[in-house]
Amino acid sequence: MPEKRQPPPTVRLRRLAAELRRLRAAAGLTREEVTERKGINAATLYRIEKARAKPQKRTLIALLDLYEATDSRRADLLAIQSGSNDRGWLRPFHAELYEEYTAYIGFESEARTVRNYESMFVPGLAQTERYAYAAIKGALPTASKRGVEQRVQTRMDRQALLTKENPLRFWAIVDEAVVRRAVGGREVMREQLLHLLQLMEEPHVTLQVIPFDKGAHAGMSGSFVHMDFPDAADPELVYVDSQAGDVFLETEDELRHYKSRFEHLQAIAAGPNESADLLAKLAQAKI
């Protein structure tokens, strides 16, 4: 009788596993030390941290106690655990809380390739600090100064993925409106355009612009990010930043839909060289 194939871990279970690994590392503990202190089977702990098994609630609480997790982190991870078998994930939006981005940032940091379509803003991985500040402040008019600064710093920290030893492969497609809108003013936008041109010189970065004269296209319904991962056991996923909050999609139909959309956008967008020419022209004209 053929062995029953185990379904891939859900996006929630993968996030729970990653957070538990991070908390253990922050506590300065090895897996062996955790098993000694809490009596958790070593193989079980390994499977939990690799998203191959869902931790029982009492096991999770024991780990959170040992790692001295904050109340907010404890509540968050317990909520993830309770729904860890569910496919898809919506994380509600809160203007003052940038912790909601930790799930996305975690997946992005583990990804091999990020394909990002943006209709309104320069992708976060490619933003300058001044552009990021203006973009976040404009999009979140009720956010506090501290909240905006936290988000900007987080966005700048994420960009280390593009300069590490084995950099993230990043393919961005943007609507022409993105490079023409003077976010932060003309000088800030000129600086941003020049930064994009510099990034495009890197072999692991590709940027395409969809010209206005292409008319209606598949990206007009909204921005999205598609990620794949080095480990074959980690399925691809799609992230959509909506007004309601962060949405993670992972079913085969959803992945097929967004992969098809990105391929269509690749086909209609100007090529990298033509896109670079447009950016240089706009930068010279100070948009």
Side-chain angles (χ1 to χ4, degrees):
M1 185 176 181
E3 184 180 352
K4 185 178 180 181
R5 184 181 178 185
Q6 184 177 2
T10 66
V11 64
R12 302 180 197 223
L13 189 59
R14 288 161 64 187
R15 195 70 251 130
L16 178 59
E19 286 299 309
L20 289 175
R21 294 195 305 269
R22 186 188 66 79
L23 286 171
R24 178 173 60 77
L29 298 171
T30 65
R31 286 199 189 100
E32 291 74 17
E33 289 171 330
V34 173
T35 58
E36 288 175 6
R37 296 193 189 189
K38 289 298 180 180
I40 300 172
N41 181 275
T44 299
L45 181 60
Y46 175 84
R47 287 173 55 79
I48 289 172
E49 289 195 353
K50 291 295 184 180
R52 305 297 181 257
K54 173 184 176 179
Q56 295 182 352
K57 186 175 181 179
R58 64 174 180 272
T59 301
L60 178 57
I61 290 174
L63 291 173
L64 295 176
D65 288 343
L66 178 61
Y67 302 153
E68 299 182 352
T70 63
D71 290 343
S72 61
R73 179 59 68 214
R74 179 185 296 264
D76 191 28
L77 296 184
L78 285 170
I80 295 175
Q81 185 269 350
S82 67
S84 60
N85 290 331
D86 298 335
R87 292 282 168 186
W89 193 13
L90 168 64
R91 290 175 61 82
F93 174 79
H94 303 286
E96 289 299 323
L97 297 177
Y98 78 103
E99 288 88 349
E100 68 204 39
Y101 291 110
T102 58
Y104 174 81
I105 293 169
F107 285 120
E108 183 183 67
S109 67
E110 297 163 3
R112 174 180 57 189
T113 306
V114 166
R115 300 172 182 87
N116 186 188
Y117 166 72
E118 291 290 342
S119 59
M120 299 300 295
F121 295 104
V122 170
L125 285 174
Q127 292 180 7
T128 65
E129 186 170 354
R130 291 203 297 170
Y131 180 99
Y133 188 89
I136 293 170
K137 193 172 186 299
L140 301 174
T142 61
S144 67
K145 181 179 180 181
R146 179 174 178 272
V148 172
E149 290 173 347
Q150 286 178 324
R151 289 171 183 265
V152 171
Q153 186 58 54
T154 299
R155 194 161 294 181
M156 296 301 101
D157 291 344
R158 286 167 50 203
Q159 295 178 7
L161 294 172
L162 299 178
T163 57
K164 64 180 183 177
E165 184 175 352
N166 294 307
L168 175 74
R169 293 188 298 202
F170 181 49
W171 194 311
I173 302 176
V174 300
D175 191 272
E176 186 172 341
V178 170
V179 296
R180 286 191 178 273
R181 186 181 300 276
V183 173
R186 295 166 69 90
E187 286 303 320
V188 170
M189 196 61 202
R190 180 175 183 275
E191 177 187 57
Q192 176 63 72
L193 294 173
L194 293 174
H195 179 64
L196 291 176
L197 287 167
Q198 184 177 11
L199 276 179
M200 292 173 73
E201 296 178 2
E202 299 295 334
H204 55 280
V205 176
T206 302
L207 175 68
Q208 292 179 264
V209 179
I210 301 176
F212 284 146
D213 62 16
K214 291 295 182 178
H217 58 76
M220 295 180 72
S221 58
S223 305
F224 63 93
V225 178
H226 171 262
M227 304 182 198
D228 64 42
F229 301 86
D231 190 340
D234 289 334
E236 301 170 13
L237 63 84
V238 166
Y239 168 82
V240 180
D241 183 8
S242 73
Q243 290 291 327
D246 296 351
V247 181
F248 294 91
L249 306 172
E250 56 184 327
T251 68
E252 289 186 9
D253 286 345
E254 290 165 340
L255 293 173
R256 189 180 305 113
H257 170 72
Y258 279 95
K259 287 172 76 173
S260 176
R261 280 180 64 188
F262 197 83
E263 289 169 358
H264 178 77
L265 295 172
Q266 283 177 298
I268 68 167
N273 290 337
E274 188 180 349
S275 297
D277 289 343
L278 173 61
L279 296 182
K281 178 182 177 181
L282 292 174
Q284 186 175 14
K286 295 185 180 180
I287 63 171

